[in-house]
Amino acid sequence: MLNPWETTDIKDYNKLIEEFGITPMKPTKELMDNRYFRRGIIFGHRDFFKFWNADKRSILTGIMPSGPMHLGHKMVVDQCVYYQNKGIKTRIAIADVEAITTRRIPEEKAREYAVEEYLLNWVALGLDLDKADVYAQTNRSVPYYRLASLLSGRTTMAEMQAIYGELTPGKVTSIFIQASDILHPQLDEYDGLEHVLVPVGVDQDPHIRFVRDLAEKIHFIKPSSTYHRFMTGLEGGKMSSSVPNSYLALNDDLPTALKKASNVLTGGRNTAEEQRRLGGDISKCVVYELYAYHFIEDDDELKKIYEDCTSGKMLCGECKQILKKKVEEFMTDLKNKREANREKVEQFAKEKLFK
Ligand code: SF4
């Protein structure tokens, strides 16, 4: 069972596609300007092309303000910024109700995380705050909450347990609030019926299935979704918010970030001689994954790393130096952009988000 509240380790994406009836993503030429589509990182979807080809459409995502923002979260930001740059309306829900009810984060702390960890980095990564509809779940409109309440009458506990497994009162509350996040743009008080895309990691598919069912019951357009692969933890295994060495946090200071980069798992062989002879085992290499997902946009540059690695021309020590340089550039640039936008973001949070 996929679980939206726990870190999931997916071994076989094809099996997942089959079991949950996800449609494999076959990107059109138009989408090839996005590395997540181009490189198969977005591997599946539900009704993506209905959204993509619609005249009236928007995207929606949630920010969970319960801990540090890391490279796994950045994948959603990159996708949202991509759609926003294409002129698609972008809505971002700060999931503070969920942080408070299911993760037991105090409200003030959730607000701090929302700004310090998330919004500042979203803007630094390219979100245009002026053109986005960013709101906190604790501070939305009456029709939004009314919808959440009405939706709770359109299902049963048995249906919910079949999708989510064991539930608590906090989880039930957050499920209906999240359902309203995804569906309320279609209320007359907002934009009316439209195609809404939710780009998510595949662990969020239970929510998507549940909300699509609800949409049908209230005669709304079923929301679309895309699913991206999970990143491997920096030292191998799962990337988990509770294990700091498994991720690069966007607010890590530079020495910490560089230390983490030094420890990233490689696909190196036992000896240099063996690696020169056999090449690196790139399928196991997290350094290469970091390049493909985040740090190398240019396909030719990535191909060169691939060839130099698998031919044994380049060894992991040299390759890691390249990674460290890229991490340093990225983190320095991000920090500068955060600080350049700090005043604007803090003012936005005070006046509009948590007023
Ligand atoms: S050379 Fe680079 S890409 Fe190849 S296994 Fe080593 S770190 Fe990974």
Side-chain angles (χ1 to χ4, degrees):
M1 179 177 260
L2 287 170
N3 188 331
W5 292 287
E6 279 166 29
T7 315
T8 316
D9 191 13
I10 310 286
K11 299 264 185 293
D12 184 345
Y13 283 92
N14 288 330
K15 198 167 156 217
L16 201 71
I17 280 177
E18 261 173 45
E19 260 176 42
F20 291 96
I22 292 170
T23 309
M25 175 56 79
K26 296 197 180 94
T28 53
K29 226 174 164 184
E30 245 189 324
L31 295 161
M32 290 299 180
D33 58 347
N34 180 293
R35 69 176 181 281
Y36 292 109
F37 284 111
R38 204 167 64 231
R39 295 179 183 164
I41 298 167
I42 295 174
F43 68 92
H45 69 99
R46 293 188 192 274
D47 287 346
F48 171 78
F49 289 98
K50 284 189 183 168
F51 152 82
W52 187 244
N53 296 320
D55 291 330
K56 219 175 146 205
R57 57 186 181 167
S58 66
I59 62 157
L60 179 131
T61 190
I63 286 175
M64 168 61 63
S66 64
M69 177 173 175
H70 56 63
L71 287 182
H73 302 120
K74 174 180 171 285
M75 296 169 74
V76 173
V77 183
D78 292 341
Q79 291 172 62
C80 291
V81 169
Y82 171 75
Y83 293 119
Q84 190 184 45
N85 287 340
K86 297 222 174 273
I88 298 172
K89 186 163 183 175
T90 304
R91 290 190 175 85
I92 301 163
I94 309 278
D96 50 355
V97 168
E98 185 167 356
I100 296 161
T101 59
T102 69
R103 315 214 176 194
R104 309 281 170 165
I105 305 285
E107 191 174 346
E108 278 312 307
K109 193 73 193 160
R111 289 180 173 195
E112 188 189 315
Y113 278 137
V115 177
E116 278 301 317
E117 291 287 340
Y118 288 87
L119 265 193
L120 278 164
N121 279 313
W122 270 76
V123 173
L125 289 167
L127 178 81
D128 184 341
L129 204 52
D130 297 327
K131 289 191 188 148
D133 176 8
V134 185
Y135 66 92
Q137 288 177 329
T138 51
N139 192 19
R140 196 56 159 169
S141 65
V142 170
Y144 164 84
Y145 298 112
R146 192 187 299 133
L147 179 62
S149 311
L150 292 176
L151 290 173
S152 69
R154 298 300 183 117
T155 187
T156 63
M157 279 309 283
E159 276 176 343
M160 291 179 74
Q161 276 159 345
I163 289 182
Y164 294 97
E166 202 184 323
L167 288 169
T168 61
K171 283 182 181 174
V172 172
T173 302
S174 103
I175 287 168
F176 288 112
I177 290 283
Q178 279 205 25
S180 191
D181 286 325
I182 297 172
L183 295 177
H184 83 284
Q186 297 193 58
L187 288 170
D188 289 340
E189 290 87 343
Y190 285 85
D191 288 341
L193 294 183
E194 68 174 12
H195 288 266
V196 178
L197 173 74
V198 193
V200 287
V202 71
D203 58 333
Q204 298 302 311
D205 188 51
H207 281 316
I208 301 292
R209 276 181 281 141
F210 181 66
V211 177
R212 280 168 61 86
D213 283 351
L214 287 175
E216 202 166 19
K217 286 176 185 169
I218 60 171
H219 308 295
F220 277 20
I221 297 172
K222 284 189 189 184
S224 306
S225 52
T226 55
Y227 303 105
H228 54 257
R229 290 170 188 272
F230 287 115
M231 288 187 64
T232 313
L234 296 182
E235 298 179 356
K238 290 190 284 187
M239 181 177 282
S240 164
S241 295
S242 55
V243 184
N245 283 340
S246 74
Y247 59 77
L248 183 64
L250 300 191
N251 285 4
D252 274 343
D253 58 37
L254 195 53
T256 306
L258 291 176
K259 191 163 171 234
K260 287 182 180 179
S262 301
N263 293 335
V264 175
L265 182 75
T266 72
R269 305 285 180 181
N270 290 334
T271 63
E273 182 281 319
E274 201 181 313
Q275 189 152 345
R276 293 239 182 261
R277 191 160 40 85
L278 300 174
D281 187 353
I282 208 161
S283 65
K284 291 194 181 132
C285 179
V286 182
V287 175
Y288 187 74
E289 187 180 308
L290 287 168
Y291 289 149
Y293 281 47
H294 294 287
F295 296 123
I296 297 184
E297 181 63 40
D298 179 19
D299 286 352
D300 289 337
E301 190 184 347
L302 189 66
K303 190 167 162 233
K304 182 155 186 347
I305 300 255
Y306 184 92
E307 287 170 353
D308 287 354
C309 165
T310 51
S311 66
K313 192 173 162 198
M314 179 167 65
L315 299 183
C316 297
E318 187 189 336
C319 196
K320 259 197 186 167
Q321 289 309 317
I322 299 172
L323 177 72
K324 284 172 78 174
K325 191 154 176 281
K326 288 189 182 293
V327 167
E328 181 167 357
E329 280 168 10
F330 170 76
M331 296 297 275
T332 307
D333 180 54
L334 198 67
K335 188 176 177 200
N336 290 340
K337 286 180 177 157
R338 272 198 309 269
E339 293 318 313
N341 286 288
R342 177 172 288 282
E343 203 180 318
K344 182 179 176 177
V345 172
E346 287 181 347
Q347 194 179 356
F348 171 82
K350 202 165 132 203
E351 290 174 5
K352 298 203 174 135
L353 205 52
F354 303 119
K355 54 181 189 276

